[in-house]
Amino acid sequence: MKSCHSWLWLVRTAALMAASLLAACAAGAQPAPPAYEALPVLLLGFEAPDNAQKWTGLKCEITSKHVSEGESALTFTIPKWEGNASPYPAAYLDWDDGQGYTIKDWSHYGKVAFDIWVEDDQPAHIALELRNKPWSNGWGSGFIIEPGKQNSIEVTLPDTGAIDLSNIQQILFSTSHPNHTFTATIDNVRLLPPDAPPLAEFDLVYPNYREMIFPNAHDLKVSVQVQTGASDLHPDKLALVLSANAGKANISKRARFREDSASVSLPAAKLPAGAVQLTAAVVDTATGDELAAQTWKLRKLTTAQVASLKVYIDEHNNTVVDGKPFFPLGWYGSPNLEHLAEIADSPFNCLLDYGTNRHPKAYMLKYLDAMQQKGLKLIYCMNDVYPTATYLKDTGWEGIQGNENIAPAVVKAYRSHPAILAWYLNDELPKALIPSLTEYYRQVRDLDPHHPCYIVLCNMTEIKYFPGTTDVMGVDPYPIPSLPVTVLSNDMDIANEAVRGHKPVWLVPQAFAWYQYSSQNPDRGHTPTAEELKTGRAPTYEEERCMTYLALAHGAKGLIYYCYYDLRVLPQYQEMWGWMKTIAGEVKALSPVLLSPDDLGTVRYSPSSAAIHTRLKRWNKRLYLIAVNAAREPCRVTLEVGKKLPQNVAAVFEDRQIKTNGARLTDDFKPLEVHVYELGPGAR
């Protein structure tokens, strides 16, 4: 489960974490080849007796018990986190002019690899972090180590600006809040060249949800990107051929490439209901040879089959419940019957409760009945039964042992209850688990075609690998108070790019105080010290509203705040709950606009130096504009809508009118302030 939703996020944002875990080794390695050759290089070896002395943080020693090469490896013990201990035990190795490790310029490499053993009876969460400056912000990637065997780990280095790979000054291995003591051993730390890119990368644009073609769909669409740099092929000599076969219907179409990409659409109306096989192929137009291909097994639904679906994601990435568009607006929480009355008496419409599988089935059915009676939906949490989870290892569930047996039993137990909205499969897991998580997702969706699956990630450099493990992608940036609020909008953009706009992205806004997790006081409801307020306070009203609307301006299709049980114990709970309801009331009122498929994108504004984020929507033949000042300074901005406006337009939720000038309106923004404008009729 989440220790504040964020053991990986803590690695990624060292400013919010404090430190990390693990350790690795020292010199005695082979000299590095020239970096531009990107040949495999041994980065760390442990053959010299003084190798362990180069590490700080956790005490490291040389051992011969577990070795992958040579005669020695590095070992250290991770202590169980107690309330008065550091929640992030760690070991660090500095570059130290080449004395720590052999090479600091990793820019021509694609992976860092190592072998690791854990002496324990349960898997251990580990993360590797790289830093450009010791004790500063870094980039991290997490993984899970299976006990009692050699784990050969390969971590893909980021291909974005997450860190300057040409100047790695510090290496550390990390975890957060370890729930038990264990010993780890590491050996054979290497830099590896990047994998050669595939010739073609196919993208199924539509259908976007579970390979379902809806009766009113216009087109099936596939796009492809090619990498021809390593061959003598040229995109001008290639074509993309798309063909669909359904019963006696066979249709196909081809398109030439524009530079390195191409896309093709086929009319869905020409296909009968039932099974459809769709194949995309990249063809050499000179020889007719098929160079790369991918096939999808699709299913075209009848109107009756669509009507029978309880919850699904439509072609606009909106959630549909009982045939009607639904904007998820909820909280992470716990399955507490006493909390339902307060939440039901608010604009929020759903919950994602941790610990559901620790309650008897009889209690959860009673809880679901109560939610249904109060008009609330549950995103059922299965984060404790993903393939390598150990949360129910000792207790089991309803007499069933093993996640491979518990997960399907849970789905079967609750899938028919009308209060179920979706399945929460996991959060913040590492890329290394993708094969098992993909199978896990497939198992759940096959058992329940009526409810989508949802996951949350915080490592933005790995999110692009996860779309095949879920129906709904989630991100959980928690920037307050140490980072700019635009961390949130950046993560939204990265997530939308990762899913290529074909899956909904739900955002998890911060509604807790970081001191509730970073403090040595284990009581999350304790009165914070002055230092805790300075480094880990909860968001203010202005920050919360700004984060909410930043998410909406960047296309969030749902908002699930983290978290209700932390909020309830904050000293300012009553005040904060009051304005959380106010913000949620605004989102609820705007939900028809947010769910409208008529999305007109962003608008221009001046001065360009202003930190303004916008989203223009059309609903019910009227235009609506969301404008957010993401800066902590005021500004006066002219927004250029590009369409002639009425003489006066309304500022929604503010009871005021703004005069316009043709297609422009000028308004003042306080720090972090949000304005929503109803701009009048909007012609298509």
Side-chain angles (χ1 to χ4, degrees):
M1 315 248 190
K2 279 188 172 65
S3 64
C4 192
H5 219 91
S6 285
W7 69 275
L8 269 178
W9 192 88
L10 290 166
V11 171
R12 183 189 65 178
T13 20
L16 293 181
M17 76 176 157
S20 309
L21 119 81
L22 213 64
C25 24
Q30 301 169 353
Y36 62 86
E37 294 182 25
L39 298 175
V41 57
L42 181 62
L43 187 71
L44 295 167
F46 305 98
E47 301 308 304
D50 65 345
N51 283 170
Q53 299 174 15
K54 300 177 184 294
W55 290 83
T56 58
L58 294 171
K59 181 180 179 181
C60 298
E61 299 175 331
I62 297 299
T63 181
S64 59
K65 184 173 182 179
H66 300 296
V67 177
S68 52
E69 288 190 3
E71 298 180 355
S72 303
L74 191 81
T75 189
F76 47 87
T77 297
I78 308 297
K80 177 182 178 180
W81 179 67
E82 304 289 354
N84 59 351
S86 168
Y88 314 107
Y92 313 80
L93 180 63
D94 295 334
W95 161 245
D96 195 21
D97 292 327
Q99 298 303 306
Y101 42 95
T102 55
I103 181 172
K104 70 173 180 177
D105 184 355
W106 300 14
S107 58
H108 295 277
Y109 294 90
K111 301 175 183 177
V112 57
F114 54 91
D115 300 322
I116 185 170
W117 296 257
V118 168
E119 294 183 39
D120 196 37
D121 61 354
Q122 57 184 299
H125 286 220
I126 304 294
L128 169 71
E129 186 179 349
L130 309 177
R131 293 175 173 178
N132 292 143
K133 184 178 180 181
W135 318 109
S136 65
N137 232 11
W139 168 85
S141 180
F143 31 87
I144 293 178
I145 305 302
E146 293 295 325
K149 68 176 186 179
Q150 177 177 325
N151 295 257
S152 295
I153 303 297
E154 289 189 356
V155 180
T156 302
L157 295 173
D159 55 7
T160 64
I163 192 171
D164 179 6
L165 288 173
S166 68
N167 183 35
I168 302 302
Q169 291 288 337
Q170 189 176 64
I171 303 171
L172 58 144
F173 287 85
S174 68
T175 195
S176 77
H177 297 77
N179 58 13
H180 63 289
T181 297
F182 61 92
T183 297
T185 301
I186 191 166
D187 196 14
N188 198 24
V189 182
R190 312 171 308 284
L191 286 176
L192 305 178
D195 292 332
L199 171 66
E201 186 176 359
F202 295 93
D203 178 22
L204 179 61
V205 179
Y206 184 84
N208 61 314
Y209 178 66
R210 293 190 174 183
E211 295 83 46
M212 295 179 182
I213 307 169
F214 289 91
N216 59 351
H218 293 290
D219 297 299
L220 310 183
K221 185 175 181 180
V222 170
S223 65
V224 65
Q225 197 90 9
V226 293
Q227 299 278 351
T228 57
S231 68
D232 57 0
L233 293 171
H234 192 278
D236 288 346
K237 305 299 183 183
L238 302 178
L240 172 61
V241 179
L242 186 64
S243 58
N245 301 297
K248 295 181 179 181
N250 297 282
I251 56 177
S252 66
K253 189 176 179 180
R254 74 165 48 203
R256 299 299 291 265
F257 276 77
R258 282 189 170 185
E259 295 182 348
D260 58 357
S261 64
S263 63
V264 178
S265 297
L266 294 176
K270 292 187 176 182
L271 300 172
V276 176
Q277 180 169 293
L278 185 70
T279 300
V282 175
V283 176
D284 185 330
T285 56
T287 65
D289 292 341
E290 184 179 287
L291 305 177
Q294 186 166 340
T295 297
W296 297 269
K297 293 182 178 180
L298 313 178
R299 182 165 60 102
K300 187 174 182 180
L301 305 183
T302 65
T303 302
Q305 287 172 327
V306 175
S308 71
L309 293 175
K310 298 173 183 176
V311 184
Y312 64 89
I313 305 299
D314 71 10
E315 65 271 30
H316 307 295
N317 290 329
N318 291 328
T319 305
V320 178
V321 178
D322 296 329
K324 298 178 181 179
F326 179 91
F327 189 90
L329 181 60
W331 285 93
Y332 281 81
S334 56
N336 189 324
L337 284 164
E338 296 179 359
H339 293 171
L340 292 183
E342 182 174 58
I343 295 170
D345 185 27
S346 77
F348 296 101
N349 57 27
C350 62
L351 286 169
L352 195 168
D353 289 330
Y354 279 129
T356 45
N357 291 328
R358 295 186 182 277
H359 289 271
K361 178 181 174 182
Y363 175 88
M364 283 308 303
L365 289 173
K366 179 181 178 181
Y367 181 76
L368 284 164
D369 288 344
M371 291 192 74
Q372 180 68 12
Q373 292 168 6
K374 296 181 182 298
L376 296 171
K377 297 291 184 182
L378 181 67
I379 303 168
Y380 194 97
C381 182
M382 299 178 64
N383 188 41
D384 50 3
V385 290
Y386 61 83
T388 57
T390 58
Y391 302 105
L392 302 182
K393 178 180 179 182
D394 297 327
T395 62
W397 181 82
E398 297 290 316
I400 301 172
Q401 296 291 329
N403 293 346
E404 70 280 7
N405 301 315
I406 296 174
V410 167
V411 173
K412 292 175 184 177
Y414 304 119
R415 64 188 175 186
S416 63
H417 200 286
I420 295 293
L421 178 65
W423 302 104
Y424 188 50
L425 299 187
N426 52 77
D427 56 49
E428 299 180 344
L429 293 182
K431 173 190 170 188
L433 292 180
I434 284 179
S436 62
L437 296 180
T438 301
E439 179 59 31
Y440 176 49
Y441 159 63
R442 291 278 173 180
Q443 179 188 43
V444 173
R445 58 174 271 179
D446 289 348
L447 285 169
D448 182 13
H450 290 279
H451 299 96
C453 296
Y454 171 49
I455 68 170
V456 165
L457 294 168
C458 63
N459 190 332
M460 294 298 101
T461 62
E462 292 189 350
I463 193 171
K464 64 184 177 182
Y465 302 106
F466 282 84
T469 71
T470 188
D471 300 311
V472 180
M473 186 66 74
V475 290
D476 59 349
Y478 302 141
I480 306 302
S482 300
L483 298 174
V485 291
T486 49
V487 168
L488 183 147
S489 50
N490 291 340
D491 282 7
M492 278 296 308
D493 291 347
I494 294 170
N496 276 312
E497 182 179 355
V499 300
R500 299 173 179 175
H502 313 331
K503 292 178 186 285
V505 177
W506 297 356
L507 188 105
V508 183
Q510 177 185 349
F512 68 94
W514 268 112
Y515 74 77
Q516 293 178 296
Y517 291 87
S518 59
S519 174
Q520 292 187 2
N521 186 337
D523 176 15
R524 295 185 190 179
H526 73 273
T527 301
T529 65
E531 181 61 24
E532 287 177 336
L533 285 176
K534 179 181 178 182
T535 60
R537 62 171 174 79
T540 64
Y541 166 74
E542 291 78 14
E543 290 167 337
E544 196 73 62
R545 189 167 186 258
C546 182
M547 289 191 293
T548 296
Y549 279 94
L550 269 178
L552 299 176
H554 286 259
K557 293 292 186 176
L559 298 170
I560 313 296
Y561 292 83
Y562 188 87
C563 69
Y564 183 69
Y565 49 79
D566 283 346
L567 177 73
R568 283 182 62 90
V569 297
L570 288 172
Q572 70 271 35
Y573 163 63
Q574 290 297 337
E575 176 189 9
M576 196 168 174
W577 177 246
W579 49 253
M580 287 302 306
K581 290 196 297 182
T582 298
I583 294 170
E586 294 178 7
V587 176
K588 180 180 179 180
L590 286 173
S591 60
V593 178
L594 302 173
L595 292 166
S596 170
D598 285 343
D599 190 329
L600 306 181
T602 60
V603 304
R604 295 173 60 188
Y605 60 85
S606 59
S608 59
S609 58
I612 297 295
H613 299 244
T614 63
R615 177 69 60 170
L616 183 64
K617 300 276 289 187
R618 183 191 288 111
W619 173 70
N620 199 23
K621 299 181 180 180
R622 302 183 75 81
L623 292 176
Y624 293 82
L625 175 62
I626 295 172
V628 185
N629 177 17
R632 294 186 180 273
E633 297 81 31
C635 60
R636 184 171 178 81
V637 175
T638 296
L639 298 155
E640 303 180 22
V641 179
K643 301 176 184 292
K644 184 172 176 58
L645 301 173
Q647 186 175 358
N648 294 284
V649 298
V652 184
F653 311 124
E654 297 183 54
D655 192 25
R656 66 184 179 98
Q657 298 281 316
I658 299 97
K659 290 188 176 183
T660 66
N661 179 12
R664 302 178 179 179
L665 67 93
T666 300
D667 205 357
D668 293 308
F669 288 77
K670 297 176 184 177
L672 304 179
E673 190 170 29
V674 175
H675 296 313
V676 180
Y677 306 101
E678 183 183 333
L679 302 178
R684 288 186 176 274

